[in-house]
Amino acid sequence: MGEVAKIRIEGKDLELPTIVGTENEKAVDISALRAQTGYITIDEGFVNTGSTQSAICFLDGEQGILRYRGYPIEELCEKCDFVEVSYLLMYGELPNAQQLEHFRSSLRRHTMLHEDMRMFYNGFPRDAHPMAILSSVVGALSTFYQDSLDPKNPQEVEMSIFRLMAKLPTIAALSHKKSIGQPFMYPKNSLEYVENFLYMMFAVPSEDYQLDSDFVEALNLLFIVHADHEQNCSTSTVRMVGSSDANLFASISAGICALWGPLHGGANQACVEMLEAIKADGGNSKKYIDMAKDKKSGFRLMGFGHRVYKNYDPRATIIKRTCDKLLKKLKIKDPIFDIAQELEQAALSDPYFIERKLYPNVDFYSGIIYRAMGFPVEMFTVLFALGRLPGWIAHWREMQMSPSKKIARPRQIYNGPAKRSFIPLHERK
Ligand code: ACO
């Protein structure tokens, strides 16, 4: 028997069991609390509340550790490509050669969009944000693939996973082509996953397209470091929507919407826009550090701070290294990279940031690499979504397979008016 938490409420004593995870994280199990005491707990923003037990991702925010299914992120970045890591996240183990080949070829088979779905793009305004297009088209997959919507049917789930993983890069690349008025490029299934996406994004029918192996390597790495991050806002959204037995496409479409916000995945776009603004303002980083410290300014340093990491985000370390390497190789002297480094140095030596344990997060340097590769800023959060997709699917699947699955339905404390008499319209002031 492990530790027991004891609480006393209204003269009643209650013992609550505790749970200890693989890495010694500890929780008090309050599932009996309301039934036995009438009390609930309140924890705005879920700062202290675990929503589930999960075997997919471990992160230690104090020590800056991130592991997928037990494997350190640094090692996966070095030894795997994104498709292999996706398999690991979704199915729990690294694939053997045969399993990997089967997975790759299943993804290859489903890359095209239904031609009617392609027509959707004619209806979107040219300046539509690609995240809005992404969530709409993913939601619409459930209108085209009604044969694979049952979350309780393993074959149907498997089919939706292949369709979604295979089609998301196509959906994303089409939204970019639409915004710049170029012809859509059909997927080329002789190419690997990341290569195919780069091809659909940047090739044009009138010219040969040469893939750059450094771009392929950098994008594989960026997708891997974004692939999962346990119960973050968008993943929790996917799980919450899926908890009602909504189909995979509907659940992921909701997750894409959650990711879009600037406090979450949208921060990569917001961060590059902030660095641009600092550059346009003469490159005075100190002014922006001071603004970020002044609560009245309403300004936050984008790409800094994290709900869980109170140390350097290990993903930021990996990305910064790649960023440096790619800019050197491309011989790009990007002034916003210099501003970012200056800002980082200034923030890391400032008591405000030190006391609050605010460090660069995954979004701080990723945008600079995306920009160097030629992605427009509106596509940055879409790239995050492409990377996060296997993590979302893994969590949705883990939840569907859990024997203890329940619809997610938080409680509240009502603090509106007490019961009162209705006032007829003619008597209202
Ligand atoms: N710039 C300046 N001050 C900050 C910043 C920042 N980026 N982030 C947090 N703080 C300050 C807060 O004002 C607060 O100060 P106080 O204690 O004096 O009131 C303190 O640090 C703690 O901040 P909270 O908002 O309570 O921390 P929380 O865990 O709720 O927020 C979040 C985390 C949303 C990521 C926050 O740090 C932030 O807004 N960062 C900028 C946006 C960003 O980069 N988001 C991407 C996150 S990573 C991802 O989703 C992929």
Side-chain angles (χ1 to χ4, degrees):
M1 174 95 172
E3 283 290 320
V4 172
K6 293 183 183 165
I7 58 166
R8 163 168 278 227
I9 286 183
E10 295 177 3
K12 252 196 269 172
D13 287 315
L14 178 66
E15 292 200 340
L16 297 169
T18 57
I19 298 172
V20 181
T22 318
E23 299 287 345
N24 208 29
E25 325 103 285
K26 297 171 186 144
V28 177
D29 177 354
I30 60 156
S31 33
L33 184 67
R34 186 171 177 277
Q36 299 207 8
T37 66
Y39 279 76
I40 61 165
T41 55
I42 286 278
D43 186 17
E44 200 106 0
F46 308 114
V47 180
N48 305 281
T49 300
S51 56
T52 188
Q53 297 191 53
S54 173
I56 300 169
C57 179
F58 171 69
L59 73 94
D60 180 330
E62 308 300 326
Q63 295 191 54
I65 292 174
L66 174 61
R67 294 184 205 131
Y68 298 160
R69 301 280 190 185
Y71 296 103
I73 187 72
E74 294 79 7
E75 211 174 342
L76 293 173
C77 282
E78 206 186 306
K79 298 180 179 155
C80 297
D81 76 351
F82 174 63
V83 170
E84 203 174 343
V85 171
S86 301
Y87 184 102
L88 168 71
L89 282 168
M90 291 192 275
Y91 302 111
E93 295 297 336
L94 285 166
N96 62 28
Q98 201 187 354
Q99 288 164 329
L100 185 58
E101 188 37 46
H102 171 69
F103 187 55
R104 286 192 202 283
S105 67
S106 305
L107 295 188
R108 265 186 224 118
R109 257 204 307 277
H110 293 282
T111 51
M112 284 197 295
L113 294 194
H114 193 290
E115 282 298 295
D116 291 345
M117 184 165 267
R118 219 166 53 84
M119 296 305 144
F120 284 5
Y121 288 77
N122 296 340
F124 290 119
R126 194 167 154 183
D127 60 356
H129 196 287
M131 283 298 274
I133 297 184
L134 202 69
S135 74
S136 314
V137 179
V138 168
L141 288 173
S142 53
T143 66
F144 283 82
Y145 300 106
Q146 298 182 36
D147 61 343
S148 68
L149 299 183
D150 181 0
K152 304 267 179 274
N153 180 322
Q155 282 81 35
E156 292 192 22
V157 168
E158 197 73 347
M159 182 53 80
S160 314
I161 291 176
F162 294 150
R163 284 173 169 157
L164 194 49
M165 279 288 297
K167 289 180 203 307
L168 202 69
T170 316
I171 295 170
L174 291 198
S175 70
H176 169 63
K177 290 295 192 192
K178 159 84 189 183
S179 72
I180 55 170
Q182 283 186 0
F184 295 163
M185 297 300 289
Y186 283 94
K188 204 188 233 184
N189 290 350
S190 55
L191 297 174
E192 288 296 340
Y193 194 85
V194 164
E195 283 89 330
N196 210 353
F197 172 59
L198 284 169
Y199 166 81
M200 288 187 283
M201 274 291 299
F202 297 118
V204 286
S206 48
E207 284 171 22
D208 285 338
Y209 176 69
Q210 289 298 326
L211 278 159
D212 182 316
S213 59
D214 288 307
F215 284 14
V216 173
E217 192 189 316
L219 201 54
N220 259 305
L221 183 134
L222 280 158
F223 282 177
I224 292 172
V225 296
H226 283 91
D228 195 42
H229 216 228
E230 48 119 298
Q231 310 305 324
N232 58 84
C233 176
S234 55
T235 303
S236 298
T237 302
V238 169
R239 288 185 87 124
M240 180 150 223
V241 174
S243 77
S244 72
D245 283 350
N247 68 67
L248 181 67
F249 303 130
S251 308
I252 300 291
S253 168
I256 293 169
C257 293
L259 185 73
W260 190 5
L263 295 188
H264 189 14
N268 58 13
Q269 173 171 348
C271 180
V272 165
E273 285 168 352
M274 173 192 78
L275 295 171
E276 281 290 357
I278 299 175
K279 188 182 103 187
D281 195 18
N284 184 354
S285 337
K286 185 173 178 307
K287 177 175 161 191
Y288 286 83
I289 296 269
D290 290 343
M291 251 164 74
K293 286 156 54 178
D294 175 9
K295 303 279 179 221
K296 284 191 250 90
S297 73
F299 172 78
R300 278 190 170 199
L301 214 52
M302 285 292 126
F304 254 77
H306 197 275
R307 171 59 63 78
V308 182
Y309 289 121
K310 302 301 170 198
N311 198 328
Y312 211 101
D313 182 338
R315 303 168 300 172
T317 315
I318 297 171
I319 293 176
K320 185 180 177 188
R321 215 181 300 127
T322 306
C323 187
D324 211 12
K325 189 176 137 195
L326 203 70
L327 294 187
K328 275 201 187 106
K329 182 224 142 164
L330 294 173
K331 300 197 176 60
I332 292 179
K333 185 91 187 80
D334 189 341
I336 71 162
F337 185 57
D338 297 335
I339 292 174
Q341 296 197 86
E342 244 177 71
L343 215 53
E344 179 187 334
Q345 282 317 314
L348 293 181
S349 54
D350 188 301
Y352 173 95
F353 292 87
I354 295 169
E355 278 158 24
R356 289 170 181 75
K357 299 188 175 158
L358 298 169
Y359 292 87
N361 61 44
V362 68
D363 296 316
F364 197 61
Y365 287 105
S366 58
I368 301 175
I369 309 189
Y370 294 146
R371 207 162 90 129
M373 291 165 83
F375 287 102
V377 76
E378 301 74 31
M379 284 298 285
F380 291 2
T381 315
V382 171
L383 294 162
F384 193 151
L386 288 174
R388 183 56 54 89
L389 181 64
W392 287 333
I393 295 175
H395 283 272
W396 185 92
R397 196 167 170 275
E398 181 183 67
M399 179 190 62
Q400 294 297 351
M401 289 167 75
S402 163
S404 57
K405 171 180 170 284
K406 282 190 175 64
I407 185 165
R409 202 311 187 177
R411 292 269 175 177
Q412 63 159 24
I413 295 294
Y414 173 71
N415 66 0
K419 187 178 179 204
R420 48 185 171 164
S421 306
F422 181 79
I423 308 167
L425 184 58
H426 65 274
E427 286 177 23
R428 287 177 218 159
K429 298 206 175 88

